[in-house]
């Protein structure tokens, strides 16, 4: 009985770990995408500003 409960707990731990890893991957992806979206207009703005200086 106890062994079965331990096995279930182990399985749940693995599921939680994979969920956390997937969440972290999504967060990283979101940060990268948002950074790219923000950096492109900023870069274009700088390219446009530099010659006028």
């Amino acid at each position: 009985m106890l062994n079965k409960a331990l096995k279930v707990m182990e399985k749940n731990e693995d599921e939680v770990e994979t969920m956390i890893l997937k969440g972290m991957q999504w967060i990283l992806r979101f940060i990268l995408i948002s950074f790219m979206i923000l950096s492109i207009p900023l870069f274009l703005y700088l390219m446009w500003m530099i010659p006028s200086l």
Side-chain angles (χ1 to χ4, degrees), residues 2-3 9-10 12 18 22 28 33-34 36-37 45 48:
L2 191 70
N3 200 16
M9 274 174 69
E10 275 178 29
N12 282 356
T18 51
K22 277 182 184 175
L28 282 169
I33 291 164
S34 56
M36 281 168 71
I37 290 164
Y45 178 70
W48 177 67

Side-chain angles (χ1 to χ4, degrees), residues 3-52:
N3 200 16
K4 254 187 186 178
L6 282 169
K7 275 184 182 174
V8 168
M9 274 174 69
E10 275 178 29
K11 197 179 179 187
N12 282 356
E13 269 182 32
D14 287 346
E15 280 174 22
V16 168
E17 273 180 29
T18 51
M19 272 176 68
I20 290 163
L21 284 169
K22 277 182 184 175
M24 282 168 72
Q25 280 181 334
W26 276 112
I27 290 162
L28 282 169
R29 217 170 283 168
F30 176 75
I31 290 164
L32 281 167
I33 291 164
S34 56
F35 177 73
M36 281 168 71
I37 290 164
L38 287 168
S39 66
I40 291 162
L42 201 73
F43 176 74
L44 291 170
Y45 178 70
L46 284 169
M47 287 288 103
W48 177 67
M49 280 295 287
I50 289 162
S52 64

